[in-house]
Amino acid sequence: MSFNVGSLFPGSVGDLLLQLIIPATGETLYMVFASTVLAYLIGLPLGIILVVSSPGHILPNPWVERTLGTVINILRSAPFIILLVALIPFTRSIIGTSVGTTAAIVPLVISTAPFVARVVETSLKEVPYGVIEAALSMGASPKQIIQKVLLPEAKASLILGVAITTISVIGYTAMAGTVGGGGLGDLAIQYGYNRFRTDVMIVTVIILVVIVQIIQSLGTTLARKLTN
């Protein structure tokens, strides 16, 4: 007996699942994971700098900490939808266009990197300073402390931070759909809201919920294994 997806939903949603929703899901996953990886390449070093340059840490530098913290706070305070529009000229200069999934990655990274920096900062500050002092007493350099003490000791918290960040990016990608960013957000607006297809919107929401649940479960499970 063959299974017909369309039998689950009224109208032609079954066809949309094959023709539109599946590709849109792929676009969303592409934006989410590419943006998260790039944001961590930027945000992880920034978070480390925030921690080690704080007063009383291994490389105290109040000027660096205050300046970097101020820049991060300014970027974090900008609503993503406003940042998305404001960065259109910058995105066009880099990608060649401001429309599409690849173009949406630019504002996603710029918006997410400061968030990552704060998440990393919080995780690293959970490491007891006594562990760091022990490493210092054995002659460890700042680089060695970062690589062999701070990051390993905070790995469980950092993994949970990755899950939280990825889930936040999923919400951002939905907003990116309002300006032609592609993905499930764009599909929900163009084919759900504008064409009054409530069923399409329901399916897109269900898919997003499933993705979020999977990511959160993976993050929690991995963090628990690293803790034990």
Side-chain angles (χ1 to χ4, degrees):
M1 179 182 295
S2 61
F3 177 75
N4 184 8
V5 179
S7 64
L8 294 177
F9 303 95
S12 59
V13 180
D15 294 335
L16 284 172
L17 281 171
L18 297 175
Q19 299 173 10
L20 298 172
I21 293 180
I22 292 177
T25 302
E27 291 176 353
T28 293
L29 293 176
Y30 163 63
M31 285 189 289
V32 168
F33 290 109
S35 300
T36 302
V37 170
L38 292 174
Y40 261 87
L41 289 177
I42 298 172
L44 180 60
L46 294 180
I48 293 172
I49 293 172
L50 281 172
V51 172
V52 300
S53 64
S54 61
H57 219 278
I58 57 176
L59 293 171
N61 191 319
W63 185 86
V64 171
E65 185 202 23
R66 286 196 298 267
T67 303
L68 182 57
T70 300
V71 173
I72 288 174
N73 289 338
I74 291 173
L75 291 175
R76 285 191 64 195
S77 64
F80 177 70
I81 191 66
I82 295 176
L83 192 64
L84 186 65
V85 176
L87 289 174
I88 285 178
F90 178 68
T91 301
R92 189 180 292 116
S93 67
I94 295 178
I95 307 298
T97 179
S98 60
V99 179
T101 54
T102 301
I105 290 174
V106 175
L108 283 170
V109 171
I110 294 176
S111 179
T112 307
F115 178 79
V116 170
R118 288 302 184 187
V119 169
V120 171
E121 178 191 20
T122 301
S123 297
L124 297 183
K125 283 186 174 180
E126 293 176 359
V127 178
Y129 195 74
V131 178
I132 299 172
E133 288 181 327
L136 287 171
S137 66
M138 291 186 289
S141 66
K143 181 179 179 181
Q144 290 173 326
I145 291 175
I146 292 171
Q147 293 178 341
K148 298 182 180 181
V149 178
L150 282 177
L151 294 177
E153 288 290 329
K155 58 187 176 183
S157 180
L158 289 171
I159 291 296
L160 287 175
V162 172
I164 294 171
T165 301
T166 306
I167 291 170
S168 298
V169 174
I170 291 174
Y172 291 159
T173 61
M175 285 186 277
T178 61
V179 293
L184 291 169
D186 186 44
L187 179 64
I189 293 171
Q190 299 299 328
Y191 289 88
Y193 180 77
N194 291 339
R195 300 189 185 189
F196 304 100
R197 292 296 302 265
T198 305
D199 45 10
V200 176
M201 295 183 69
I202 291 174
V203 173
T204 57
V205 170
I206 291 173
I207 294 173
L208 288 172
V209 169
V210 171
I211 293 173
V212 168
Q213 291 298 320
I214 291 173
I215 292 172
Q216 186 62 63
S217 296
L218 289 174
T220 303
T221 302
L222 183 57
R224 188 181 296 116
K225 289 182 178 180
L226 291 174
T227 303
N228 296 334

